[in-house]
Amino acid sequence: LPVFKAVGAEKETGAIAVRADEGLRLKTAKTEGLAEMDVKELPKELQQEKVLLGYRYFAQPWSGAIAAEPIEPHVTVETFTFLSLGEALLQTAVTVKYSILYAGVQTFRLQLPEGVTNVDITGEEIKHREEDKTNHIWTVSLQARKRDDYRLFVTFQREVGGEKVDLQYAGLQVLDVRRETGYMAVAARSDLELAAGEKMADLTPIDPQEIPADYKVGITAPLLLAFRYLKHPYALHAVA
């Protein structure tokens, strides 16, 4: 800790507040002449945001050293995937809802299914998007770290051909998270009646009404199929 001394003073006492950037944990490493105190007992002018440590001293000289270590964020995700099957294209819209605890996150990574085009990723305060074309991974960087809830919105499409409908979808995967769960809904053009195929994996059929209402805002097409998943990877298979 830097030491400041009042020159010419016969007696000097004081209080010290130490604050840190988000994502750092502080602890006292070594002190001489300093008494650690609860930050709530610091003078009001020192009770500022992000103050983690407090000290009091009653005389000069004093010295102190602080140890800092990064806090790992705990990130979980819930997604909602809306698939709309048309004449020649499968349109996909994914809402990625992050829950971020303990420390902020500024970079997110998403792995998209192979063969998709017209990718668009939106969200608050996005600074930069970059694609790793070899691994189909998109990295999204924000202007500042985010905590608590944050959402990304991803859209893309894939060509589907042939007279017979045999839809297979492996899903967008959210990387660098502790857990990923989600919902999925499928709509199609009016002349199709979709049914679940034999190649389904780790998807549980549900009633479309079980999907949270805020995910379905703006969707006007009837939802023919709906699912819940508890982990990645999963596989959707639908036939008509």
Side-chain angles (χ1 to χ4, degrees):
L1 293 174
V3 177
F4 300 90
K5 186 176 182 180
V7 178
E10 294 185 2
K11 182 178 180 181
E12 179 184 337
T13 63
I16 301 168
V18 183
R19 64 180 181 182
D21 288 340
E22 186 177 273
L24 286 178
R25 180 185 292 112
L26 300 183
K27 63 180 181 180
T28 302
K30 182 180 179 181
T31 62
E32 291 185 10
L34 288 178
E36 191 165 354
M37 61 187 297
D38 191 316
V39 295
K40 296 179 181 179
E41 297 177 0
L42 285 166
K44 288 187 177 181
E45 61 270 20
L46 294 182
Q47 293 183 20
Q48 301 179 18
E49 186 178 2
K50 300 180 182 179
V51 170
L52 302 181
L53 294 175
Y55 302 93
R56 180 172 293 280
Y57 66 92
F58 298 95
Q60 290 281 7
W62 58 263
S63 64
I66 302 299
E69 59 184 17
I71 300 174
E72 291 296 326
H74 184 280
V75 184
T76 58
V77 161
E78 182 178 86
T79 72
F80 171 61
T81 301
F82 175 57
L83 303 174
S84 179
L85 181 60
E87 290 286 348
L89 289 175
L90 176 65
Q91 303 276 0
T92 305
V94 184
T95 299
V96 183
K97 181 182 177 182
Y98 291 90
S99 178
I100 306 167
L101 302 176
Y102 308 137
V105 176
Q106 195 168 358
T107 301
F108 302 97
R109 295 196 307 147
L110 308 167
Q111 187 168 35
L112 273 58
E114 187 175 355
V116 302
T117 59
N118 290 347
V119 177
D120 186 37
I121 302 174
T122 59
E124 293 184 357
E125 298 185 11
I126 291 180
K127 181 179 181 180
H128 182 66
R129 307 169 188 82
E130 184 176 358
E131 180 186 10
D132 175 354
K133 296 181 182 295
T134 302
N135 297 304
H136 316 293
I137 294 175
W138 282 80
T139 300
V140 180
S141 302
L142 307 184
Q143 296 175 14
R145 293 179 182 270
K146 295 293 181 180
R147 287 189 62 173
D148 302 321
D149 293 335
Y150 182 76
R151 296 193 183 197
L152 286 175
F153 304 94
V154 187
T155 59
F156 49 87
Q157 63 186 33
R158 190 187 77 196
E159 292 184 1
V160 291
E163 297 181 0
K164 182 180 179 181
V165 175
D166 188 348
L167 173 62
Q168 298 185 44
Y169 176 77
L172 173 152
Q173 182 174 2
V174 185
L175 304 178
D176 310 320
V177 298
R178 298 290 185 92
R179 183 178 71 251
E180 177 189 341
T181 62
Y183 298 89
M184 178 182 296
V186 185
R189 61 183 192 266
S190 59
D191 62 327
L192 290 179
E193 292 187 8
L194 289 179
E198 298 178 352
K199 301 176 183 177
M200 298 276 288
D202 292 314
L203 287 175
T204 302
I206 61 173
D207 188 294
Q209 295 301 317
E210 296 181 46
I211 298 174
D214 64 320
Y215 287 146
K216 297 182 289 184
V217 172
I219 297 177
T220 58
L223 301 181
L224 305 181
L225 298 172
F227 304 94
R228 184 88 163 95
Y229 74 91
L230 300 178
K231 64 178 181 178
H232 221 284
Y234 61 82
L236 169 68
H237 184 212
V239 295

